[in-house]
Amino acid sequence: MRQVYRLTLRGLYHMKRGLVSLKETATHLELLAEAADWVVGADGELVVVWHLDEAEYDGRVDALESAERAEGVDYDHAAIIEGAEADAREFADSVLSEIGIEPQIEVVVGSEKTRAQRVLDAARDHDCDHVFIVGSARSPTGKAVFGDFAQRVVLNFDGYTTLTTE
């Protein structure tokens, strides 16, 4: 097993399990590719956290209930999460399938306000030592503040963080 170390201010670092927080954007796809490079180099594992906004979730619930009424069939609401997992897998596979990484996928539903806590909870639950996130782009005067989501993750995650901005 090849071990890759990164020299940081805290000393040498070897990643065992990374978590990448994803939405369906080109910037998130680029971040996923960077996370994949780390995982391959470190012979580690990858967890993908896929964000399903509450409004999008509610829209999927409405569509499912409409289908239930039209078809007279009761669908399991777990199908909404399964559908989101399939979306996440398809998005992640566009980068990861070529290099043979099979990530664990976790779908989280919530508002933008709860997104950081959900990422932190998933990182803790999966025993991740590195988190890859995308923050909001800021004006030159606001560059010291990454944005509410990114700032919360960076300040509260007890591990290494790779941050890029949109």
Side-chain angles (χ1 to χ4, degrees):
M1 176 170 85
R2 182 174 72 156
Q3 295 202 357
V4 175
Y5 292 91
R6 178 181 182 195
L7 184 59
T8 68
L9 294 175
R10 297 179 188 173
L12 287 177
Y13 161 64
H14 171 68
M15 182 173 75
K16 295 178 285 185
R17 185 173 296 117
L19 179 145
V20 61
S21 171
L22 291 181
K23 288 184 173 182
E24 199 167 355
T25 71
T27 304
H28 284 86
L29 201 59
E30 291 169 9
L31 180 68
L32 179 61
E34 184 173 335
D37 287 345
W38 274 88
V39 168
V40 168
D43 194 27
E45 298 175 0
L46 188 63
V47 176
V48 168
V49 172
W50 184 259
H51 298 278
L52 188 59
D53 186 77
E54 286 176 331
E56 185 179 353
Y57 178 81
D58 291 343
R60 290 181 184 210
V61 167
D62 291 344
L64 184 65
E65 289 173 350
S66 294
E68 288 176 342
R69 284 190 300 275
E71 298 172 12
V73 177
D74 286 335
Y75 290 104
D76 183 6
H77 284 263
I80 295 170
I81 299 300
E82 291 170 5
E85 286 175 359
D87 294 345
R89 181 138 334 260
E90 182 179 337
F91 186 77
D93 280 351
S94 66
V95 170
L96 303 178
S97 64
E98 296 174 10
I99 52 181
I101 296 176
E102 183 73 27
Q104 296 177 17
I105 295 185
E106 182 172 332
V107 175
V108 296
V109 179
S111 69
E112 194 63 29
K113 290 181 179 182
T114 63
R115 187 169 152 221
Q117 190 57 51
R118 293 179 186 282
V119 167
L120 292 166
D121 290 345
R124 183 195 64 241
D125 293 347
H126 293 281
D127 194 29
C128 295
D129 53 2
H130 197 127
V131 172
F132 298 82
I133 58 173
V134 174
S136 302
R138 296 288 180 202
S139 68
T141 57
K143 286 192 185 234
V145 179
F146 305 122
D148 194 37
F149 163 71
Q151 188 174 15
R152 284 185 183 170
V153 173
V154 169
L155 294 176
N156 293 298
F157 180 63
D158 189 29
Y160 296 91
T161 306
T162 297
L163 170 69
T164 190
T165 58
E166 283 193 288

